[in-house]
Amino acid sequence: MKYKLVELKRNLKPGHVYRRSDLSRLSNAVDRHISALVNDGTLQKLHGGLYYFPTESVFGKTPPDEHLLVQTFLKDDHFLLTSPNDYNILGVGTTQLYNKRVVYNHKRHGVFKLGGKTFTFVSRHRFPKKATPEFLLVDLLNNLDMLAEDPEFVLKNVSTKLKTMDLRKVKKNLSQYGNVRAKARFHSLIKQMEDKPNERLSA
């Protein structure tokens, strides 16, 4: 068993996240070997049958890359990893820092703790490959009621922000990814802008 355990260690790559099924292809006694590797600190158990072979830095063992962690958990690379903190780049008055990671995907729905971090998996039929400013604005409108900021204050700033954005791109993202409330809020903001003769829209 000791020789087989050494062979398994030799095949592990630092920084990689493994499922039990991945390790079973490298071992003839996978559960005993995993137990031994977790006990000696070679592997870290992240969630259920999910394990991490950490890399070493001057500060100690580094945590797993979040994208790789989610990809291995889902067994799929078709997902979008975001956070409410991403809204802050829009400059619409969101300044809170949230310890929350949101994963839009096709397979899972619910809250899971992976490697000491909490991920909220949201099952969606459609989501972009990248969180563009236009998508983030729509996603903000989707989730506005769940944020700590005053919704009316944020909406006022969104109205100002829209004057600097490509409304065609915003409307495309709204059509593809916006919920009913987001669409209602957006159209209300556009109507307010159109009612002001001195405002110019780039639609």
Side-chain angles (χ1 to χ4, degrees):
M1 176 180 172
K2 186 175 181 179
Y3 171 76
K4 293 293 185 181
L5 184 60
V6 171
E7 280 295 299
L8 175 57
K9 273 189 180 183
R10 193 172 295 155
N11 282 283
L12 297 176
K13 297 180 180 179
H16 278 230
V17 178
Y18 295 92
R19 299 184 69 88
R20 180 187 178 280
S21 57
D22 300 324
L23 298 171
S24 67
R25 292 193 287 268
L26 304 171
S27 168
N28 60 353
V30 64
D31 292 321
R32 281 187 296 167
H33 287 162
I34 287 175
S35 180
L37 293 175
V38 170
N39 288 336
D40 71 14
T42 300
L43 289 178
Q44 294 178 356
K45 187 171 183 177
L46 302 177
H47 173 87
L50 209 62
Y51 301 89
Y52 173 54
F53 183 29
T55 56
E56 296 280 352
S57 74
V58 293
F59 303 105
K61 294 181 178 180
T62 60
D65 175 79
E66 290 186 353
H67 191 277
L68 179 61
L69 175 58
V70 171
Q71 180 178 325
T72 307
F73 176 69
L74 288 174
K75 293 192 290 187
D76 187 4
D77 61 0
H78 192 197
F79 62 88
L80 178 65
L81 177 60
T82 69
S83 166
N85 298 329
D86 295 341
Y87 302 146
N88 296 349
I89 69 171
L90 296 171
V92 293
T94 57
T95 57
Q96 295 288 328
L97 293 179
Y98 298 84
N99 185 26
K100 182 178 182 180
R101 297 158 184 84
V102 179
V103 184
Y104 294 120
N105 73 104
H106 296 309
K107 292 186 172 183
R108 296 273 193 164
H109 194 87
V111 179
F112 297 87
K113 197 163 188 177
L114 308 176
K117 297 179 180 179
T118 301
F119 294 82
T120 301
F121 286 77
V122 180
S123 180
R124 289 276 176 85
H125 291 298
R126 292 188 294 182
F127 48 85
K129 293 181 179 180
K130 181 180 178 182
T132 63
E134 293 81 14
F135 169 77
L136 288 174
L137 188 71
V138 171
D139 200 54
L140 167 66
L141 295 177
N142 284 341
N143 299 301
L144 185 58
D145 295 327
M146 293 184 285
L147 301 181
E149 289 85 358
D150 175 23
E152 293 305 317
F153 173 72
V154 174
L155 284 174
K156 182 178 179 181
N157 289 320
V158 168
S159 179
T160 301
K161 180 68 177 179
L162 284 172
K163 300 167 191 174
T164 69
M165 299 182 73
D166 185 333
L167 290 186
R168 285 181 291 268
K169 290 183 179 180
V170 176
K171 288 177 179 178
K172 182 177 179 181
N173 278 267
L174 186 71
S175 174
Q176 293 179 317
Y177 314 120
N179 60 25
V180 172
R181 177 158 288 188
K183 290 176 179 177
R185 282 170 168 158
F186 176 82
H187 291 305
S188 176
L189 291 174
I190 291 298
K191 186 176 187 307
Q192 291 174 27
M193 293 167 65
E194 289 175 339
D195 288 342
K196 296 178 182 179
N198 295 326
E199 302 289 356
R200 296 184 64 186
L201 303 180
S202 59

